[in-house]
Amino acid sequence: ISFALSAIHPDLFEAGRRVLEFCCNTESHKGHTHEWARIWNSVYTALTVLSNRRSPGHVDSHGRSNYLDALVSLGTAAHPKIFFKELNSSFSYKSGTVLFFSGRGWTHEVGDWGAGERICYASYMRPEIIEAHVLPVTSWGVRV
């Protein structure tokens, strides 16, 4: 996930990398973060795990519009789909799918998926953590 982010939003990747590097220092935060930071395997500052949960249409309250969240879909769910209201479109969200998008900028939902288990790892950046350690990220990612 971090490697993919480095290609599509290098500024956000670098900000997360710098925060993680700082937190790995034994002197950082009065020595309270380095042990956990050393085993954290992502430049993202937060992770939520959802198991067998439908998600009604929402815009995430965390992050910034120009930050990209990463959703990893896992499990045996028969027909999972993610719906984006602004696009009026659903997309296949089967196991192994990774989506990068602005959770703050797009209304999204996951409804009933039929039989099977659905697990989602949602990785995102907490802006207060980024802004406390590095300059705010103002870019929107790679320009195509």
Side-chain angles (χ1 to χ4, degrees):
I1 300 300
S2 295
F3 183 70
L5 183 66
S6 74
I8 59 178
H9 201 325
D11 294 341
L12 189 59
F13 168 83
E14 183 59 22
R17 188 198 63 76
R18 287 177 57 193
V19 168
L20 183 58
E21 181 179 58
F22 177 83
C23 291
C24 284
N25 184 322
T26 56
E27 303 300 317
S28 70
H29 300 106
K30 300 179 183 174
H32 296 296
T33 61
H34 74 277
E35 289 183 40
W36 289 105
R38 288 183 181 172
I39 59 173
W40 189 252
N41 66 355
S42 174
V43 297
Y44 279 98
T45 60
L47 173 72
T48 298
V49 180
L50 300 127
S51 177
N52 293 326
R53 303 290 296 183
R54 283 180 273 172
S55 177
H58 67 283
V59 174
D60 297 338
S61 60
H62 62 78
R64 298 278 186 258
S65 295
N66 63 319
Y67 285 17
L68 296 179
D69 300 345
L71 301 184
V72 178
S73 180
L74 300 170
T76 60
H79 304 288
K81 293 189 178 291
I82 188 166
F83 176 75
F84 290 98
K85 178 183 175 184
E86 292 80 4
L87 299 174
N88 193 30
S89 296
S90 293
F91 299 91
S92 178
Y93 195 41
K94 64 183 184 176
S95 185
T97 301
V98 180
L99 298 173
F100 288 89
F101 68 97
S102 172
R104 180 75 183 252
W106 295 87
T107 306
H108 53 285
E109 69 180 273
V110 175
D112 189 31
W113 55 85
E117 304 283 323
R118 188 182 86 81
I119 300 149
C120 173
Y121 286 91
S123 298
Y124 49 96
M125 297 289 195
R126 299 300 302 209
E128 62 275 11
I129 294 173
I130 297 295
E131 293 163 9
H133 292 87
V134 296
L135 293 174
V137 176
T138 58
S139 70
W140 288 82
V142 173
R143 293 186 180 135
V144 183

